[in-house]
Amino acid sequence: MPRVSTNQLAARRQQILDGARASFSRHGYEGATVRRLELATGLSRGAIFHHFRDKEALFLALAEQDAQRMVEVVVEQGLVQVMRELLASPESIETGWTGTFLEIARRTRTDPGFRERWRERSGGLAVAIRGRLERQAAAGALRTDVPVGVLASYLELVLDGLLSRLATGAPDRDDVRTLDAVLDLVEGAVRVSQPARPGAS
Amino acid sequence: MPRVSTNQLAARRQQILDGARASFSRHGYEGATVRRLELATGLSRGAIFHHFRDKEALFLALAEQDAQRMVEVVVEQGLVQVMRELLASPESIETGWTGTFLEIARRTRTDPGFRERWRERSGGLAVAIRGRLERQAAAGALRTDVPVGVLASYLELVLDGLLSRLATGAPDRDDVRTLDAVLDLVEGAVRVSQPARPGAS
Amino acid sequence: MPRVSTNQLAARRQQILDGARASFSRHGYEGATVRRLELATGLSRGAIFHHFRDKEALFLALAEQDAQRMVEVVVEQGLVQVMRELLASPESIETGWTGTFLEIARRTRTDPGFRERWRERSGGLAVAIRGRLERQAAAGALRTDVPVGVLASYLELVLDGLLSRLATGAPDRDDVRTLDAVLDLVEGAVRVSQPARPGAS
Amino acid sequence: MPRVSTNQLAARRQQILDGARASFSRHGYEGATVRRLELATGLSRGAIFHHFRDKEALFLALAEQDAQRMVEVVVEQGLVQVMRELLASPESIETGWTGTFLEIARRTRTDPGFRERWRERSGGLAVAIRGRLERQAAAGALRTDVPVGVLASYLELVLDGLLSRLATGAPDRDDVRTLDAVLDLVEGAVRVSQPARPGAS
DNA sequence: ACTGGCGGGACGTCCCGTTGAT
DNA sequence: ATCAACGGGACGTCCCGCCAGT
């Protein structure tokens, strides 16, 4: 049926998603007016809403995509590493999950309809984190005096905190150094603890 | 000398702030329309804008007040204790700092003007946290292999994470239990570490 | 509670209704854009929708008012007389019931929600017509070989036809003469008559 | 010579007209969005606008076709009989002239351009009615104290009234009975009648 | 101090018709 | 002949803040 190739179509879709991500990230959901979405995507209202039913559908698709990417990275590299890279590359803050995160939190909080729709589509991240931790636990890399579920929850909490922190404003050089040390702390709290003993790191 | 005392005026202001807090918390900044503020405060448009220049001034005043309260509690009880109580009392999630926090983060992120104005007025919390930690460090309650600044940053990060988590939706019974264990973990990571010794929890 | 007198307020309301009537009449429901309503009423969007919740509420209020006026005239003068005056005064076509009528028919047909809301508010006209006919019947002015209900329905039908006709375009001089003769015919068909002779249908 | 016959083309045109009629009838002119026309015709935007210049041209073609059909039926059966069948077959209300009629009246009223274009194309119905009446008059079937033109206008008026009535909503069983009696009345008023005899009012 | 009528701007949505591709 | 991506305009709604009036 399609008159243009599926590739072409997917590319357009992605073009819209990318522009929209930047716009939502910079201005927030309400601030990302359709006018701004047009400018950011280089397409017209007609085009945008031809591909997505309405603004929320667009945001939802975008958030889902971001979450999926996040899951993949977490599976590959682990949460702590993800956080380290988040810290190291300021440009990822503008374009990636960071900007989306706060908007999801906010809309999840204020709009029950959105909460429902998001719950249906999100899912994966917590599962991925816990999965990776369980593999590490099996490999004996984690402390054993605390259930894995608690460790997972702990890391998620720190991630959320870091995202909030980064969303609020780019950290300066000192901030980055401090936050890196914080991540060391976090990592230490999860690993088999070779606790502060004379001579230990 | 005004006939109605300054008390009267402050009371009105507070009435508006309280209604507004509930409204901002439930609906978010953009969702808290003036219509809803009228309903929540029981006052009319005119009255509200008589006491506050515009919607943002109202929000700013409210956020400042909440931040101040937060500082006081932190100074008295410590951050971890604050977090424990946040967990224990679900009603505080609805009405207190939790809702405000997310909005501040969002607006700080998207509105440079707001960021500036907020920076001028907030300040205190980080200082309070660090102050308390330094007192504890002096008392020998904290691990010494990590600078106090890092510990402070760590706790702030966890707080932000917890607030995000709570803002997103009330935790159920199991969540609370898990999060409490997470806080144990956090506390352990800050205290003088009684490292994993055989038989110790 | 009102800060302006109730009179003032009612006058504004009426000003809006009158402007809106002209606009709906000239352009139809969809054609009466809010822009045009502003121009026709001399008030702003804000003012208009302060007095009426939305466009439909405005139209509904207006239609109800027109229907009420129609009822009053029918009670006083009778339907046939109303139709004669409709014919005689072309200006009434522009401003009165005529323009509203077709819009009600159309929206009643296409919008079930409107149908319901209109049914709740209209009511009166058919009752008024039948009431007046029953009084006439009691006075012996009507033919008796046909139930009053049928006569009422007949007159309503003719009224609807006339309104359709007038709505479509102002009649010229000859049209008026012809239509007047038609009304004679209609009147004759309702009055006491010497019906078809024995054996005739 | 086109490879696909003119038949083919006419069939497509008719397919579109039929779908469009249903759509215009159910939703009204403005309510019959191109989206709905696509669904109702089973064809795409492109196909529809390939066969008709724009939405109005489509409606005009459809209205003209309906009017032509109406003329044919009137010529064959007479207006009163047409009205009786309209009453008897509720399905004709949905699909036939009834819905179209109201839209023509509305658009004729509000859109001068449409009025002009419609006037050029319609014409026939009034002529057909009058023609048939004149034939009946010549056959002595009509009352002679009233000019044929008046009788024609009378019947048209009743038709318009009935169409308005039916357009507004399907009549229930009692309504049909009453309206049938009304049509008896109408027929009686047109046929040879026994005029007011001395002594009767 | 407080009310609420009101202005006017901006928003998301939707809609019609064009166009390049098939 | 048909399709669907797309442009761009206009719509009704709603919202914030001003200010005349009480």
Side-chain angles (χ1 to χ4, degrees):
Chain A
M1 315 270 172
R3 293 289 159 170
V4 290
S5 77
T6 308
N7 274 352
Q8 192 83 328
L9 208 126
R12 266 289 188 251
R13 223 184 113 93
Q14 196 54 47
Q15 173 185 355
I16 296 173
L17 285 172
D18 289 340
R21 173 157 33 243
S23 217
F24 282 123
S25 177
R26 191 173 346 269
H27 305 291
Y29 185 83
E30 285 86 359
T33 66
V34 177
R35 175 88 190 98
R36 287 211 247 244
L37 291 176
E38 287 181 308
L39 289 175
T41 58
L43 291 171
S44 72
R45 288 163 138 66
I48 295 172
F49 291 112
H50 175 73
H51 289 275
F52 299 91
R53 196 151 60 84
D54 55 21
K55 198 173 139 177
E56 188 180 289
L58 172 55
F59 179 72
L60 226 38
L62 176 162
E64 189 178 11
Q65 197 175 67
D66 284 4
Q68 186 53 37
R69 284 182 189 169
M70 192 71 177
V71 165
E72 285 162 18
V73 180
V74 165
V75 168
E76 281 176 31
Q77 311 182 356
L79 235 192
V80 176
Q81 184 57 22
V82 165
M83 292 194 269
R84 289 205 191 277
E85 292 188 0
L86 225 42
L87 262 181
S89 66
E91 80 281 4
S92 71
I93 296 175
E94 276 307 310
T95 57
W97 177 252
T98 319
T100 312
F101 166 78
L102 264 191
E103 284 308 318
I104 293 174
R106 241 256 321 189
R107 287 184 63 71
T108 294
R109 175 174 177 73
T110 57
D111 181 342
F114 179 84
R115 166 149 47 194
E116 200 51 44
R117 264 159 271 145
W118 173 242
R119 190 152 19 196
E120 290 168 13
R121 289 151 152 273
S122 64
L125 188 52
V127 174
I129 292 175
R130 172 178 278 256
R132 192 182 153 91
L133 278 182
E134 274 165 1
R135 262 173 284 128
Q136 288 187 300
L142 300 187
R143 63 194 290 180
T144 55
D145 58 337
V146 171
V148 173
V150 171
L151 293 181
S153 194
Y154 172 62
L155 289 181
E156 282 182 64
L157 216 61
V158 173
L159 172 64
D160 287 356
L162 183 63
L163 288 171
S164 296
R165 173 67 185 78
L166 294 180
T168 292
D172 62 25
R173 251 188 139 59
D174 278 353
D175 291 336
V176 170
R177 212 173 347 241
T178 303
L179 288 171
D180 241 331
V182 168
L183 291 184
D184 291 339
L185 203 64
V186 170
E187 213 164 5
V190 170
R191 289 267 168 79
V192 182
S193 42
Q194 225 48 0
R197 190 165 307 171
S201 98
Chain B
M1 268 283 162
R3 183 60 64 151
V4 283
S5 70
T6 311
N7 271 353
Q8 197 76 309
L9 191 134
R12 266 286 189 255
R13 254 184 81 96
Q14 196 53 48
Q15 172 185 359
I16 296 173
L17 285 172
D18 289 341
R21 173 157 33 245
S23 220
F24 282 122
S25 176
R26 193 178 336 275
H27 305 291
Y29 185 83
E30 286 87 356
T33 66
V34 179
R35 176 85 192 98
R36 288 210 246 246
L37 293 177
E38 288 180 312
L39 290 174
T41 59
L43 291 170
S44 76
R45 250 174 165 60
I48 294 171
F49 287 119
H50 178 72
H51 289 276
F52 299 90
R53 198 164 55 81
D54 55 20
K55 201 170 122 175
E56 187 178 288
L58 171 54
F59 178 72
L60 226 38
L62 177 161
E64 188 178 11
Q65 196 175 67
D66 283 6
Q68 186 53 38
R69 284 183 191 166
M70 192 71 176
V71 166
E72 285 163 17
V73 180
V74 166
V75 167
E76 283 176 29
Q77 309 182 359
L79 235 192
V80 176
Q81 184 58 23
V82 166
M83 293 194 269
R84 290 204 190 278
E85 291 187 0
L86 224 43
L87 261 182
S89 67
E91 79 281 3
S92 70
I93 296 175
E94 277 307 310
T95 56
W97 176 251
T98 318
T100 310
F101 161 77
L102 212 56
E103 283 308 318
I104 292 174
R106 262 222 340 149
R107 287 186 62 71
T108 294
R109 172 172 181 70
T110 58
D111 182 342
F114 180 84
R115 168 149 47 193
E116 200 51 44
R117 264 159 273 149
W118 174 242
R119 189 140 34 185
E120 290 167 12
R121 288 150 156 273
S122 65
L125 188 52
V127 174
I129 292 176
R130 172 178 280 256
R132 190 180 156 94
L133 278 181
E134 274 165 359
R135 263 173 283 128
Q136 288 187 303
L142 299 187
R143 61 193 292 177
T144 54
D145 59 339
V146 171
V148 173
V150 171
L151 294 181
S153 193
Y154 173 62
L155 289 181
E156 281 182 65
L157 216 59
V158 172
L159 172 64
D160 286 356
L162 184 62
L163 289 172
S164 295
R165 172 70 184 77
L166 295 180
T168 290
D172 63 25
R173 246 186 147 58
D174 279 351
D175 292 335
V176 170
R177 211 172 348 238
T178 302
L179 289 172
D180 241 331
V182 168
L183 291 184
D184 291 340
L185 203 65
V186 170
E187 214 163 4
V190 171
R191 288 265 170 79
V192 180
S193 44
Q194 227 47 5
R197 194 166 307 169
S201 105
Chain C
M1 316 268 174
R3 293 289 159 169
V4 289
S5 76
T6 309
N7 273 353
Q8 192 82 327
L9 208 125
R12 266 288 187 253
R13 225 184 112 93
Q14 195 55 47
Q15 171 186 356
I16 295 173
L17 286 172
D18 289 340
R21 173 154 36 242
S23 218
F24 282 123
S25 176
R26 191 174 346 270
H27 305 292
Y29 185 84
E30 285 86 359
T33 66
V34 176
R35 175 86 190 99
R36 287 211 246 246
L37 291 176
E38 288 181 309
L39 289 174
T41 58
L43 292 171
S44 72
R45 289 163 138 63
I48 295 172
F49 291 112
H50 176 73
H51 288 274
F52 299 91
R53 196 152 57 85
D54 56 20
K55 199 173 140 177
E56 187 179 289
L58 172 55
F59 179 71
L60 225 38
L62 175 164
E64 188 178 12
Q65 198 176 66
D66 283 5
Q68 187 54 38
R69 285 182 189 167
M70 191 72 175
V71 166
E72 284 163 17
V73 180
V74 166
V75 168
E76 281 175 31
Q77 310 181 357
L79 235 192
V80 176
Q81 184 57 23
V82 165
M83 293 194 267
R84 289 201 192 279
E85 292 188 0
L86 226 42
L87 263 180
S89 66
E91 81 281 3
S92 71
I93 296 175
E94 276 308 309
T95 57
W97 176 252
T98 318
T100 310
F101 166 77
L102 265 192
E103 285 307 319
I104 293 175
R106 241 260 318 191
R107 287 185 62 72
T108 294
R109 174 172 177 73
T110 58
D111 181 342
F114 180 84
R115 167 149 48 195
E116 200 50 44
R117 264 159 270 144
W118 173 242
R119 190 150 23 194
E120 290 167 13
R121 288 151 153 272
S122 65
L125 187 53
V127 174
I129 291 175
R130 173 178 276 257
R132 190 180 154 94
L133 278 182
E134 273 164 1
R135 263 173 282 127
Q136 288 186 302
L142 300 187
R143 63 193 291 178
T144 54
D145 58 337
V146 171
V148 173
V150 171
L151 294 180
S153 193
Y154 172 62
L155 288 181
E156 281 182 65
L157 215 62
V158 172
L159 172 65
D160 286 356
L162 184 63
L163 288 171
S164 296
R165 173 69 184 76
L166 294 180
T168 290
D172 63 24
R173 250 189 141 57
D174 278 353
D175 291 336
V176 170
R177 208 167 356 233
T178 302
L179 288 172
D180 242 330
V182 169
L183 291 183
D184 291 339
L185 202 64
V186 169
E187 212 163 6
V190 171
R191 289 269 168 76
V192 182
S193 72
Q194 242 30 32
R197 199 166 312 164
S201 101
Chain D
M1 266 284 163
R3 183 61 62 150
V4 285
S5 68
T6 312
N7 271 354
Q8 198 75 309
L9 191 135
R12 266 288 188 253
R13 253 183 83 96
Q14 195 54 46
Q15 173 186 359
I16 296 173
L17 285 171
D18 289 341
R21 173 158 33 245
S23 219
F24 281 123
S25 176
R26 195 179 335 276
H27 305 291
Y29 185 84
E30 286 86 357
T33 66
V34 179
R35 176 86 191 98
R36 288 211 246 245
L37 293 177
E38 288 180 311
L39 289 175
T41 60
L43 291 169
S44 77
R45 257 175 156 59
I48 295 171
F49 287 118
H50 177 72
H51 288 276
F52 298 91
R53 197 162 56 82
D54 57 19
K55 200 171 124 175
E56 188 179 287
L58 171 55
F59 179 71
L60 224 39
L62 177 161
E64 189 179 10
Q65 196 176 68
D66 282 7
Q68 186 52 38
R69 283 183 191 166
M70 192 71 176
V71 167
E72 285 163 17
V73 181
V74 166
V75 167
E76 281 176 31
Q77 309 182 357
L79 236 191
V80 175
Q81 185 57 23
V82 166
M83 292 194 270
R84 289 205 192 278
E85 292 186 0
L86 224 43
L87 262 181
S89 66
E91 79 282 3
S92 70
I93 297 175
E94 278 306 311
T95 58
W97 175 252
T98 318
T100 310
F101 163 78
L102 211 56
E103 283 308 317
I104 293 174
R106 262 222 341 150
R107 287 186 61 71
T108 295
R109 173 172 179 71
T110 57
D111 181 342
F114 180 84
R115 168 149 47 193
E116 201 49 45
R117 263 160 273 148
W118 173 242
R119 188 138 37 183
E120 290 166 14
R121 289 151 153 273
S122 64
L125 187 53
V127 174
I129 293 176
R130 174 178 278 257
R132 189 181 155 95
L133 279 181
E134 274 164 0
R135 262 175 282 129
Q136 288 186 303
L142 301 187
R143 62 194 291 178
T144 54
D145 58 338
V146 171
V148 173
V150 171
L151 294 181
S153 193
Y154 173 61
L155 289 181
E156 281 182 63
L157 216 61
V158 172
L159 172 64
D160 286 356
L162 184 62
L163 288 171
S164 295
R165 173 68 185 76
L166 294 181
T168 290
D172 62 26
R173 243 184 149 60
D174 278 353
D175 291 335
V176 171
R177 213 172 346 240
T178 303
L179 288 172
D180 242 330
V182 168
L183 290 184
D184 291 340
L185 203 64
V186 170
E187 213 164 5
V190 171
R191 289 265 170 80
V192 183
S193 72
Q194 247 29 36
R197 196 163 308 169
S201 130

